[in-house]
Amino acid sequence: MKYLLQISGENLSLAVAEALAVSGLNRAKQDDNILILSSEKFDYERLAYTRKVYRFLFMCKKQDLIKAIKKFDWQQVCGKTFYIKARNTTYETEALAKEVWKKLKNPRVCVTNPETQIEFLGTPSKVYCGILLGENKENFNHRNPNKR
């Protein structure tokens, strides 16, 4: 399975090294703060420098995003309900959701608790699409010695 990681921008080299160590891989593809790993078993809950982990769906150039959405088979990846977020793309979330909506047979959007959460992450040249698997919400600042 291919994983898409949104790593923390604090220390990119440390975040990449951590992800490679946890996954047991020697290399991965990196684009800005996006990391793509291909691994059979991957315990992504152990990652501290990773903000979000996705199941990788596709990537494309920014100008080809609508074409890629129309070409992708959304029926296989979407569950009963879905929700879409777009970050750093040239398109609004509503426009992307509308294109996915057209490709589904019985589309149902759920904002509060969707079965499938799809996110589009943009870098300066490309857009990556993935299904959210996990999010690191832990605030490490509460562990500081002066707050004990």
Side-chain angles (χ1 to χ4, degrees):
M1 176 194 258
K2 276 191 170 183
Y3 293 94
L4 182 67
L5 279 66
Q6 182 184 13
I7 55 179
S8 174
E10 296 170 29
N11 191 340
L12 290 176
S13 59
L14 184 61
V16 171
E18 178 193 44
L20 291 175
V22 170
S23 67
L25 299 174
N26 295 330
R27 60 188 165 159
K29 184 178 179 187
Q30 181 183 358
D31 184 10
D32 200 24
N33 69 331
I34 304 292
L35 191 67
I36 299 175
L37 299 171
S38 184
S39 179
E40 292 299 318
K41 288 189 176 183
F42 181 48
D43 187 14
Y44 54 83
E45 293 174 353
R46 295 178 49 204
L47 298 172
Y49 284 97
T50 300
R51 297 189 190 271
K52 293 183 179 182
V53 178
Y54 306 91
R55 186 177 119 204
F56 179 78
L57 297 179
F58 66 86
M59 74 175 186
C60 64
K61 293 180 181 176
K62 276 194 170 186
Q63 62 267 22
D64 298 335
L65 181 57
I66 297 296
K67 290 179 193 174
I69 290 173
K70 288 180 179 178
K71 198 162 83 170
F72 191 77
D73 183 17
W74 294 102
Q75 201 64 45
Q76 283 191 333
V77 296
C78 283
K80 293 179 183 176
T81 60
F82 73 98
Y83 180 67
I84 293 180
K85 278 187 184 178
R87 294 200 172 114
N88 299 329
T89 63
T90 53
Y91 297 97
E92 295 290 325
T93 302
E94 293 81 17
L96 300 176
K98 201 178 289 186
E99 293 299 327
V100 173
W101 179 278
K102 292 176 187 176
K103 297 290 288 181
L104 295 172
K105 290 181 183 172
N106 296 319
R108 293 188 65 196
V109 176
C110 180
V111 178
T112 55
N113 192 17
E115 189 175 316
T116 307
Q117 185 169 340
I118 302 164
E119 291 196 24
F120 294 93
L121 305 168
T123 62
S125 61
K126 294 183 180 177
V127 176
Y128 296 88
C129 180
I131 295 175
L132 184 67
L133 297 176
E135 185 173 3
N136 188 356
K137 294 182 181 180
E138 189 169 352
N139 184 5
F140 294 103
N141 291 332
H142 74 277
R143 292 191 198 172
N144 285 346
N146 62 343
K147 295 188 179 178
R148 288 186 198 166

